[in-house]
Amino acid sequence: MLNIARLTFMEVSRKKIFMVTIVLSLIFLLLYGVTLERAAEDMARMKDMGGQQMVIQQVIGSQLLGLGLYFASMLLALLSLMASVGSVASEVESGLLHAIVSKPIKRSDIILGKYFGYGLMLSSYALVLFSGVMAINYAYNANVLSLLTKPLLVYGALLFALQPMILLGVAMVFSTLTRTLTAGIISFTLYGLGMVGGFLEQIGGMISKSSLITIGIVTSLVIPSDALFRKVVSIINGNQENPFSALAAAPFGVTVPPSNAMLVYTGIYICGCILLSIYNFKKRDL
């Protein structure tokens, strides 16, 4: 299993999609840094507004922080799905897996090796991206992080790095069941469903519409990627202690922070995806 994980890690690092995503990430961080620098200059011109200045800075700062984390999360999702959706299906189609399966290697070890190989690469990339966004905010938007302690920063970073493990699990389930294109379409559709459900839940929280909140919770159970993102934002923004959290809620903030039970469910969801992938691959006729 460890050898397959190592080989998978090396394989992902050589994929074109990985290099393209790194370039896109650098462009994103550059543009994000320029945006925050301009915003910081505008904030500095608002000194004569007294107490209103603090409120406006906190609201705009929270939105800019949420915006940075949101697009970082989207880049992460793009890489997770594009890199892993053909992890099994494309190798079956090309015949590459036939050579591996014919050796005395358990099919479960192949799936586990691929999952942890992809997972290590994607989580490492997620931590780098998260660090970039937070470093830019510390440089130009430090006031919004005044409630963030080091333990919470580490906690948020670990949860951010957990996001690609959800999408990786989903992609592998369908990659062991269908062809690459089909697996990609289904995985992207589920990811989009999670995003839409997350927005509906936040809007429902703002206007106190229970039906929208329920739709959001149901979609989070189908795929908890957006719920995990909202949890990260709520931790980084310090929603429980932040007196301005209600004003900084939408569209990139959080009005209904996911509970810790959702984190437990996310862990169960990931384990379920891995087990289902192993089951599918064992049953698959190669």
Side-chain angles (χ1 to χ4, degrees):
M1 184 189 79
L2 292 178
N3 283 333
I4 293 176
R6 180 176 58 81
L7 292 172
T8 302
F9 184 90
M10 294 172 63
E11 177 193 347
V12 179
S13 64
R14 290 195 293 266
K15 283 190 172 182
K16 287 183 181 177
I17 183 64
F18 183 65
M19 302 307 296
V20 170
T21 308
I22 287 179
V23 173
L24 289 175
S25 301
L26 292 175
I27 294 173
F28 157 68
L29 290 175
L30 177 63
L31 293 176
Y32 185 59
V34 171
T35 302
L36 259 64
E37 183 184 20
R38 296 288 183 271
E41 291 174 356
D42 290 338
M43 294 296 176
R45 300 191 192 101
M46 300 168 62
K47 290 182 179 177
D48 57 342
M49 296 182 65
Q52 293 180 19
Q53 179 197 8
M54 183 183 296
V55 177
I56 295 173
Q57 280 186 342
Q58 193 70 29
V59 171
I60 296 177
S62 295
Q63 289 299 310
L64 289 174
L65 174 61
L67 174 72
L69 291 174
Y70 189 79
F71 279 95
S73 180
M74 285 186 67
L75 281 172
L76 190 58
L78 175 70
L79 177 62
S80 302
L81 294 176
M82 293 291 288
S84 63
V85 76
S87 57
V88 175
S90 65
E91 293 187 7
V92 171
E93 292 164 13
S94 66
L96 183 63
L97 265 182
H98 292 81
I100 299 175
V101 172
S102 63
K103 299 182 183 305
I105 302 175
K106 294 180 180 177
R107 291 196 178 192
S108 58
D109 287 346
I110 295 174
I111 295 298
L112 290 173
K114 285 184 172 294
Y115 185 84
F116 289 116
Y118 277 108
L120 181 60
M121 173 61 75
L122 294 169
S123 296
S124 302
Y125 170 72
L127 290 175
V128 172
L129 205 51
F130 180 84
S131 301
V133 172
M134 296 306 294
I136 292 172
N137 275 276
Y138 269 116
Y140 298 112
N141 193 25
N143 287 337
V144 77
L145 301 174
S146 57
L147 296 175
L148 182 63
T149 61
K150 288 183 179 178
L152 286 178
L153 177 63
V154 173
Y155 184 37
L158 292 176
L159 291 185
F160 191 82
L162 191 62
Q163 288 185 90
M165 307 305 280
I166 298 173
L167 300 174
L168 175 59
V170 171
M172 289 200 72
V173 167
F174 292 105
S175 188
T176 53
L177 269 179
T178 65
R179 299 176 69 84
T180 305
L181 181 60
T182 309
I185 292 172
I186 297 173
S187 300
F188 272 106
T189 302
L190 285 174
Y191 173 66
L193 179 69
M195 289 176 59
V196 173
F199 274 117
L200 289 177
E201 185 176 358
Q202 300 311 311
I203 293 171
M206 283 189 292
I207 62 176
S208 300
K209 192 76 171 176
S210 59
S211 58
L212 293 181
I213 295 175
T214 302
I215 291 173
I217 293 173
V218 171
T219 54
S220 294
L221 294 176
V222 175
I223 180 165
S225 55
D226 192 83
L228 189 58
F229 167 76
R230 302 288 173 185
K231 185 69 177 178
V232 172
V233 174
S234 69
I235 291 170
I236 299 301
N237 269 334
N239 272 32
Q240 292 181 345
E241 295 80 13
N242 190 345
F244 304 111
S245 60
L247 297 174
F252 300 109
V254 180
T255 55
V256 187
S259 65
N260 290 329
M262 181 55 75
L263 295 182
V264 175
Y265 175 77
T266 300
I268 296 172
Y269 186 92
I270 292 173
C271 292
C273 286
I274 296 173
L275 292 174
L276 188 56
S277 300
I278 292 173
Y279 175 80
N280 292 338
F281 192 51
K282 283 183 176 179
K283 294 292 183 183
R284 185 159 182 168
D285 184 11
L286 300 178

